[in-house]
Amino acid sequence: MIRDFQAPARRLSPKRQACIYVGMASLTEFSLDEAIAVLTRTPATLNALLRGLPNIWVRCKEGKDTWSAFDIVGHLIFGERTDWMPRARIILESGEARPFDPFDRFAQLKESQDKSLEQLLDDFARLRRENLAALRALNLQQEDLTRRGRHPALGVVTLSQLLATWAVHDLTHVHQLSRVMAHQYRDAVGPWSAYLGVLQCTGHRAP
Amino acid sequence: MIRDFQAPARRLSPKRQACIYVGMASLTEFSLDEAIAVLTRTPATLNALLRGLPNIWVRCKEGKDTWSAFDIVGHLIFGERTDWMPRARIILESGEARPFDPFDRFAQLKESQDKSLEQLLDDFARLRRENLAALRALNLQQEDLTRRGRHPALGVVTLSQLLATWAVHDLTHVHQLSRVMAHQYRDAVGPWSAYLGVLQCTGHRAP
């Protein structure tokens, strides 16, 4: 994939909407260091955004059967415990022979209900730190990133796809968090709602 | 607006998808302290998310005529300088008699081009701190929040709508930032793209 870096002189096809680094014709699509750079920052980002906020921002939702900011942090914790590194280990140890265990997207609704947001933020930061230390300790080489595993619904996936998804999964929940919070002031902004993209977002459910 | 606080027993209409605090039947739609709680946290949130990230996350865009993370921080700075507090002062000093000056949504593309991301993050944090100090110094009372001004395109708006919009505007750009960043790994996640809501988001342009 070719990426477009600040107002390039050349034209790119819309499909290639991307970023060309000056003097660099193309980039590999995934870099372990780039993914780790995002994964490392998410706990501090959520901490800065959420710790100490009034309950309207933390506990309110977009409606029935939707998640609050509190629920989202709980979900991220559950992913640290059961999804990303356990699946990376399955790929490295068993390849496609052993499909991943399915991930329970709603487990946190039970597990975190007796905790405070502050406890959840601390738990998430600790688990992420431990998982990234374990990831680095694997000392993955470029050829390891192409190793294959089997997702119970999606079929064959690679280790690099799993690790890229871990980072984008953080971003998808930052995306959701900002939307859930903005929703609480949907009426309060009055006519400006037409100008605020986050209020036009209807969520993006997985199929 | 009635708000729904964690799994309410009662049913709410979809329009009222909201948050009821236990023991609290309803809330006013806007609270100055709630808005300030969000506004206070945005500089640290962006700092935690962006400072020191590789350029792929900071300088890449979603395509031609779209914004990078760098551009978004520049836009937030321009808002601090020319939009929110200047407009609050126009409402308090002139009411509807003097329409707001139009806001240039693209000014930052020229103004910030010679700066580093780190400089922009520092500028944004300083300007926001100064603006919130100025806001607090106004010592606004409940009745001030209903004072009216005139938006050049939207018509009559109130001070509370302006201040609510300031907070939601932060959130709309956190929403956009997470989407722009996730876009860079659109291909790298492989078949997981179907599960990642942020990759289904096509942006939400103002009309």
Side-chain angles (χ1 to χ4, degrees):
Chain A
M1 186 185 198
I2 296 174
R3 296 200 176 94
D4 157 359
F5 181 74
Q6 281 192 307
R10 74 193 87 177
R11 277 190 172 269
L12 295 168
S13 75
K15 279 270 188 193
R16 283 287 173 199
Q17 306 165 338
C19 202
I20 299 161
Y21 286 86
V22 175
M24 195 184 284
S26 71
L27 287 174
T28 55
E29 290 205 8
F30 173 80
S31 139
L32 187 56
D33 288 343
E34 284 170 4
I36 288 176
V38 170
L39 290 165
T40 304
R41 283 165 174 76
T42 308
T45 302
L46 298 187
N47 198 65
L49 180 64
L50 298 175
R51 187 177 294 261
L53 271 185
N55 268 340
I56 171 187
W57 304 118
V58 170
R59 293 290 196 155
C60 295
K61 309 180 183 189
E62 294 170 288
K64 193 163 179 295
D65 298 331
T66 67
W67 291 358
S68 65
F70 182 91
D71 299 331
I72 292 167
V73 180
H75 168 77
L76 289 167
I77 287 172
F78 201 71
E80 293 305 300
R81 288 217 172 97
T82 69
D83 190 330
W84 312 106
M85 284 304 292
R87 287 180 170 189
R89 289 196 186 92
I90 290 172
I91 291 178
L92 293 170
E93 289 164 14
S94 310
E96 296 173 55
R98 179 187 157 192
F100 305 146
D101 302 322
F103 178 57
D104 181 351
R105 293 175 56 245
F106 300 96
Q108 76 281 358
L109 302 181
K110 292 191 294 284
E111 293 217 344
S112 55
Q113 62 186 357
D114 296 326
K115 298 199 171 184
S116 67
L117 175 73
E118 286 63 29
Q119 284 176 300
L120 295 189
L121 289 167
D122 289 342
D123 288 352
F124 177 54
R126 179 179 48 77
L127 290 163
R128 175 59 59 88
R129 201 164 46 240
E130 291 169 3
N131 278 330
L132 290 180
L135 176 64
R136 288 197 186 89
L138 291 174
N139 191 24
L140 294 174
Q141 305 301 308
Q142 200 59 33
E143 61 270 24
D144 295 321
L145 296 175
T146 60
R147 291 177 68 171
R148 292 149 67 107
R150 184 170 296 279
H151 186 282
L154 298 172
V156 173
V157 292
T158 65
L159 182 56
S160 80
Q161 289 169 346
L162 175 72
L163 299 175
T165 301
W166 190 4
V168 177
H169 181 264
D170 280 7
L171 295 170
T172 212
H173 287 295
V174 171
H175 194 73
Q176 181 187 21
L177 263 175
S178 61
R179 192 188 67 228
V180 174
M181 291 174 66
H183 177 82
Q184 312 311 322
Y185 267 13
R186 178 175 289 280
D187 293 339
V189 299
W192 266 290
S193 61
Y195 287 4
L196 293 161
V198 68
L199 297 179
Q200 321 309 321
C201 185
T202 53
H204 323 278
R205 286 198 178 277
Chain B
M1 187 185 195
I2 296 173
R3 296 199 175 94
D4 156 1
F5 181 72
Q6 280 192 309
R10 73 194 87 176
R11 275 190 175 268
L12 295 168
S13 75
K15 280 270 187 191
R16 281 287 172 198
Q17 306 164 341
C19 199
I20 299 162
Y21 286 86
V22 175
M24 195 183 286
S26 72
L27 286 174
T28 55
E29 290 205 8
F30 173 80
S31 138
L32 187 57
D33 288 344
E34 284 170 5
I36 288 176
V38 171
L39 290 165
T40 304
R41 283 163 174 77
T42 308
T45 302
L46 299 187
N47 198 65
L49 180 65
L50 298 175
R51 187 177 294 262
L53 271 185
N55 267 340
I56 172 187
W57 304 119
V58 170
R59 293 291 197 156
C60 294
K61 310 180 183 190
E62 293 170 289
K64 194 166 178 292
D65 297 331
T66 67
W67 291 358
S68 66
F70 182 89
D71 298 331
I72 293 166
V73 180
H75 167 76
L76 289 168
I77 287 172
F78 201 71
E80 293 304 301
R81 288 217 172 97
T82 69
D83 190 330
W84 311 107
M85 283 305 292
R87 289 181 170 190
R89 289 195 187 94
I90 290 171
I91 292 178
L92 293 171
E93 289 164 14
S94 310
E96 295 174 56
R98 179 186 158 191
F100 306 146
D101 302 323
F103 179 58
D104 181 351
R105 292 176 55 245
F106 300 97
Q108 76 282 357
L109 303 180
K110 293 189 294 285
E111 293 217 344
S112 55
Q113 62 186 358
D114 297 326
K115 298 200 171 184
S116 68
L117 175 72
E118 285 64 29
Q119 284 175 297
L120 295 189
L121 290 167
D122 290 343
D123 288 351
F124 178 54
R126 179 178 48 77
L127 289 164
R128 174 60 59 88
R129 203 164 45 240
E130 290 169 3
N131 278 330
L132 290 180
L135 176 63
R136 288 196 186 91
L138 291 174
N139 191 25
L140 295 174
Q141 305 302 307
Q142 200 60 33
E143 60 270 23
D144 295 321
L145 296 175
T146 60
R147 291 177 68 170
R148 294 149 65 107
R150 183 170 298 277
H151 186 282
L154 298 171
V156 173
V157 292
T158 65
L159 182 57
S160 79
Q161 288 169 346
L162 174 73
L163 299 174
T165 301
W166 190 4
V168 176
H169 181 263
D170 280 7
L171 296 169
T172 212
H173 287 295
V174 171
H175 195 72
Q176 181 187 21
L177 264 175
S178 61
R179 190 188 69 228
V180 174
M181 291 174 66
H183 177 83
Q184 312 309 323
Y185 268 13
R186 177 174 290 280
D187 293 341
V189 300
W192 267 289
S193 61
Y195 287 3
L196 293 161
V198 68
L199 297 178
Q200 321 309 321
C201 184
T202 54
H204 322 279
R205 284 197 180 276

